[in-house]
Every structure is written in C-alpha cells, then in structure tokens.
Amino acid sequence: MAERRKTTPRKAAARKSSRTTTAKKSSAKRWSQRVTQESDALDLKRGVFKQTSAKKVAASLKRSAEHSTRRKSGAYRSALSMLTFYINRAGKTLPKAQRARLERAKVELKHQFGRE
C-alpha cells in the first residue's frame, strides 16, 4: 500500500496566502449589482425586485423591457433574463418568501406577454 505524502509547512503556507490575495480583489466585487444597475438590456426601476407583489415586479420588468432602446433581443427575453439573473445571483441568501414571489413573477411575466 502506498504511503501518503506529507506536505511541508512551506507549501501549505504558500497555498494559503494565494487564496487570500485573490479573494481581496475589489474590482470583481459586486459585479452582479453593477449589471442590474447599468445593464445594456434594461433600465430597471430602483427596487424592482423588492416589490411586494409578483404582478408589480412583472409589470415593472415588462415596462422597462418595452421602453429600452439598447436591448439586443426581444422584450420578453430581456425581462425574463434579468429576473432569472437576479434570482441566480442572490443564491441561498435570498429569503424563501422573496424567492417564491420572484418565481411567481416569472409566471406572471409569461401571462403579461401572452406567452401562455
């Protein structure tokens, strides 16, 4: 049976320091927030994802998508992409109630665009 190699303290310290330096980059921090604020696809109303109703979220996204002149795809696709992006980037930190509301907003968006 082969014996396991032990790492020297020097190598372990080198690995540890390289992890901490890459985590401290400030330029990559909050890039997803910058995307939702400065996206070429949509000019979102402030606090659109914090609204209390799924219908209001969907209506705001629809309005933003239809009025945008910089988007490259259809209005429905842009609105749904931004909503999905927000849900995915929030990840586990998104409260369950808000996640459920945003998932309902996806369905409502389909209805408002006549896709179902």
Side-chain angles (χ1 to χ4, degrees):
M1 191 180 242
E3 291 183 34
R4 292 176 70 184
R5 286 180 63 182
K6 293 182 181 179
T7 59
T8 61
R10 183 175 40 134
K11 287 182 182 178
R15 268 190 260 133
K16 193 179 217 181
S17 66
S18 68
R19 281 190 217 137
T20 57
T21 56
T22 57
K24 291 185 180 181
K25 285 185 180 178
S26 61
S27 62
K29 190 174 183 183
R30 296 190 186 253
W31 65 268
S32 58
Q33 180 182 14
R34 199 172 58 247
V35 167
T36 57
Q37 290 174 349
E38 302 170 6
S39 169
D40 277 345
L42 301 176
D43 293 321
L44 296 174
K45 184 179 168 185
R46 188 175 181 93
V48 65
F49 299 113
K50 304 279 185 194
Q51 292 181 352
T52 57
S53 167
K55 285 186 179 187
K56 288 181 183 177
V57 173
S60 180
L61 284 170
K62 181 180 180 192
R63 190 177 320 110
S64 295
E66 288 176 339
H67 287 64
S68 177
T69 57
R70 297 179 298 170
R71 63 181 159 79
K72 295 177 184 172
S73 62
Y76 171 71
R77 186 173 175 185
S78 293
L80 191 62
S81 294
M82 189 58 76
L83 182 56
T84 303
F85 174 79
Y86 182 82
I87 293 169
N88 290 343
R89 291 307 304 167
K92 294 178 182 177
T93 62
L94 192 64
K96 288 185 180 183
Q98 188 178 0
R99 178 180 294 276
R101 185 180 319 118
L102 294 175
E103 290 294 337
R104 285 193 314 271
K106 282 184 182 180
V107 175
E108 185 60 35
L109 202 58
K110 286 180 185 178
H111 289 298
Q112 289 187 11
F113 274 100
R115 296 284 178 132
E116 202 170 271

